[in-house]
Amino acid sequence: MSGAARPVRVSTPADRDIVLTRDFDAPRRLVFDALTRPDLLRRWFGAQGWQLVVCEVDLRVGGTWRFVSQGPDGARMGHGGVYQLIRPVERLSYTEQYDDQSYPGVTVISHRLVENHGRTTLTTTIRYATPEGRDRVLRYPMARGVSESYARLDRVLVAPQPVRDQPGEGSAP
């Protein structure tokens, strides 16, 4: 991993879509694990100053996930959804809704992981329910927040902990 943070490439190929692309110096198995394992998600998910205080993952098609993040001022943000597609190490797709309905409707997030010589390109397509929802997100500092989160992920990928969650701590049995 280089000393400089890698940029997240952001594109808007359709009126409801945002596509984020980022390279990681890690095999896709590890990147996939970091997207799906609560013990790893807790270590990187969220912009600087935000931490997951609830991380529940039932990783199966039809299974649910739920995250609650807490910010530096104590503010909480909750969201969750349902897994739609799981192809370990290749693809992951799920719905997402925020508790406060700040983004009305259901958003669908799809990750594609491609490995080349031990490096993984993660392409995330976020499809909002409406063009207005997508445009609202684009007005926020989304790219900065994702970049900060992925910089945290870089550090996790260098030193992943093999310890799994204990039953009752947000992991699926």
Side-chain angles (χ1 to χ4, degrees), residues 43-108:
R43 293 178 52 208
W44 73 268
F45 189 89
Q48 184 174 336
W50 287 81
Q51 294 293 322
L52 283 179
V53 293
V54 174
C55 184
E56 300 169 349
V57 172
D58 180 7
L59 188 63
R60 61 183 175 84
V61 173
T64 61
W65 65 274
R66 174 142 176 81
F67 297 168
V68 177
S69 299
Q70 184 168 315
D73 60 355
R76 287 186 172 224
M77 177 177 61
H79 53 122
V82 177
Y83 289 103
Q84 297 183 320
L85 172 73
I86 301 166
R87 277 194 214 137
V89 309
E90 293 177 22
R91 297 190 61 89
L92 182 66
S93 182
Y94 49 87
T95 61
E96 176 182 63
Q97 282 190 291
Y98 280 82
D99 293 356
D100 66 3
Q101 292 296 310
S102 55
Y103 308 106
V106 176
T107 300
V108 177

Side-chain angles (χ1 to χ4, degrees), residues 118-172:
R119 292 176 50 97
T120 300
T121 299
L122 174 62
T123 303
T124 303
T125 301
I126 309 166
R127 173 159 285 173
Y128 293 89
T130 65
E132 296 78 20
R134 183 210 66 174
D135 293 346
R136 183 175 178 193
V137 169
L138 289 171
R139 287 192 295 270
Y140 294 141
M142 181 212 44
R144 185 192 76 212
V146 171
S147 292
E148 290 171 357
S149 191
Y150 283 173
R152 293 172 66 187
L153 176 53
D154 280 331
R155 293 188 293 274
V156 169
L157 294 172
V158 169
Q161 293 178 342
V163 177
R164 295 262 185 187
D165 290 303
Q166 298 300 313
E169 292 184 19
S171 62

